Amino acid sequence: MGARGESVRVGGRRLDIGNPDKELFGSSGITKRDLAAHYRSVGPAMLPHVKGRPLALHRFPDGIDGEGFFQKRRADHAPDWVEGVTVPREKGSTTMVVANGTATLVWLAGQAVITLHPWLSRADDLNRPDRVIIDLDPPGDDFPGVRRAARDTRRLLEELGAPAFLMTTGSRGLHVVVPVRRRLVFDECREIAHGIADRLAQRHPDRLTTEVRKDKRGGRLFVDVLRNSYAQHAVAPYSVRPLAGAPVATPLHWEELDEVASARQWTVRGIGRRIEEVADPWRGMGRRACSLPAVAKRLRHLDR
DNA sequence: GACTGTA
DNA sequence: TACAGTCAACGCGTC
DNA sequence: GACGCG
Ligand SMILES: [Mn+2]
Ligand SMILES: [Mn+2]
């Protein structure tokens, strides 16, 4: 270990990781070295879902018990091979990091980036998302309730002719991800997603709600579609969460859902074995992209 | 984590 | 050289 | 316009 930290080889580069022995997850023993090794290892599985997308970065330089913050602007000190995309915002524009290789993931780990949150759109068409995400947020830690909501969501999406992919968030809920053709802008997509969420809550008013305010949810699971908006984002697959034990957002096969006991089932310690043993649940997602206007039309017909 | 200003 | 201080997001819905 | 929320 030199004065600048520890050398890591990745993507044909050698990067230095400062403070490699710093424990980032309390006293679990998981260090910044482990975080970097995680992202190097999951890079090939993760990158297809991250490439080309502006990233919001959740950083914890002093570990998860210290102060954390989101960073959207690409730091000036980033190496020139860390790519960026300039995105318009309300006032002016800002340049954000885009991870197009495993080396960038590892460099970010060195910056104490624990969680990556990609946009739902890509750099070549920032206003038109190619993913719609139905985010299932349980009250408390009721995972059986989340599983049931996910099956309800899948059933409705099937009726609407929309493909549905599944992921644990590594926290408390599940994400149901719908790949869509890039035909509509964010406001139009969110309106359709809202229609889907409202229909779910209408079918199961005792268990599901679209109420934003917690005090109006009455113990029901929040079907959150507000993330389908410009400059909003959702946790990336195989990203680590800033929680005890370093849980990892994990794509699932629908057939696995019944056996999964928690959104935190996989961690940096266990995800490697899973990736080796289980076929990629999200393989071919892009090729299954559906027409959102067609989905909206079928949704309107359900109302009759 | 990186940088700046001050002692 | 050492160290204290500073900075590092944002859109939507509701009140 | 501020606040709650994720
Ligand atoms: Mn620090
Ligand atoms: Mn969620």
Side-chain angles (χ1 to χ4, degrees), chain A residues 170-183:
Chain A
S171 180
R172 284 164 16 191
L174 291 166
H175 283 183
V176 177
V177 180
V178 181
V180 300
R181 293 199 192 100
R182 296 189 286 181
R183 285 275 289 137

Side-chain angles (χ1 to χ4, degrees), chain A residues 137-143 146 171-173 214 217 219-220 264:
Chain A
D137 291 334
D141 221 341
D142 169 29
F143 199 73
V146 186
S171 180
R172 284 164 16 191
K214 285 183 169 181
R217 292 184 198 162
R220 292 169 293 176
R264 300 180 292 280

Side-chain angles (χ1 to χ4, degrees), chain A residues 143 146-147 150 154 164-170 173-177 237-238 248-266 271 274 278-283 285:
Chain A
F143 199 73
V146 186
R147 285 198 301 250
R154 184 193 194 193
F165 293 80
L166 183 64
M167 168 173 91
T168 70
T169 63
L174 291 166
H175 283 183
V176 177
V177 180
Y238 304 109
V248 170
T250 305
L252 302 177
H253 296 281
W254 282 101
E255 298 71 30
E256 296 180 283
L257 181 56
D258 288 347
E259 314 152 15
V260 177
S262 162
R264 300 180 292 280
Q265 180 119 7
W266 287 275
I271 195 67
R274 173 179 170 83
V278 179
D280 178 5
W282 282 15
R283 190 179 43 157
M285 180 185 292

Side-chain angles (χ1 to χ4, degrees), chain A residues 55-67:
Chain A
L55 290 173
L57 309 167
H58 206 181
R59 296 180 61 194
F60 294 80
D62 299 315
I64 63 172
D65 296 326
E67 184 190 349

Side-chain angles (χ1 to χ4, degrees), chain A residues 166-239:
Chain A
L166 183 64
M167 168 173 91
T168 70
T169 63
S171 180
R172 284 164 16 191
L174 291 166
H175 283 183
V176 177
V177 180
V178 181
V180 300
R181 293 199 192 100
R182 296 189 286 181
R183 285 275 289 137
L184 306 179
V185 297
F186 273 103
D187 285 0
E188 298 166 328
C189 291
R190 187 178 62 254
E191 187 171 316
I192 294 165
H194 224 121
I196 294 170
D198 284 338
R199 168 55 55 130
L200 277 170
Q202 182 184 323
R203 283 183 176 182
H204 312 284
D206 52 327
R207 293 187 284 116
L208 309 179
T209 180
T210 57
E211 287 284 354
V212 174
R213 298 186 77 92
K214 285 183 169 181
D215 56 8
K216 291 201 171 180
R217 292 184 198 162
R220 292 169 293 176
L221 180 148
F222 179 37
V223 183
D224 179 7
V225 291
L226 294 174
R227 338 206 101 297
N228 299 289
S229 305
Y230 182 80
Q232 293 304 105
H233 43 78
V235 62
Y238 304 109
S239 203

